[in-house]
Amino acid sequence: MSNGESERWWFNLKTHEVEPDDGARNADRLGPYDTREEAARALEKVAERNEAWDNDPKWNDDGPGSGDGLADGTPDS
């Protein structure tokens, strides 16, 4: 970029390629990322975050009271 801004990078979900700001529409991309390397790891990062959320008791829907937003063990109504 010419005005002193650093270039941002995106991971294209359709092509699985890394692209700069002027690539595809944002609905088809993950990002922005500060570096090309970070953008290249986008799907890996998504998998890591999903795994962490799947194993986080605060986000686990299989625990007591799941569905009612209460963590006190009361059954769903």
Side-chain angles (χ1 to χ4, degrees):
M1 297 188 147
S2 58
N3 59 1
E5 293 180 35
S6 60
E7 190 162 29
R8 300 180 311 169
W9 297 94
W10 302 78
F11 181 83
N12 186 311
L13 292 166
K14 290 187 174 186
T15 65
H16 288 216
E17 294 180 5
V18 174
E19 56 191 34
D21 274 329
D22 62 350
R25 63 190 194 116
N26 288 351
D28 295 331
R29 308 191 295 181
L30 295 175
Y33 297 92
D34 292 332
T35 67
R36 187 176 193 82
E37 293 75 23
E38 284 178 296
R41 287 192 64 239
L43 291 182
E44 186 178 335
K45 192 68 165 175
V46 167
E48 289 171 1
R49 288 179 179 160
N50 285 345
E51 180 70 22
W53 290 336
D54 286 346
N55 294 310
D56 184 339
K58 293 182 289 188
W59 293 101
N60 188 340
D61 291 338
D62 298 329
S66 63
D68 62 4
L70 301 175
D72 64 0
T74 57
D76 294 345
S77 26

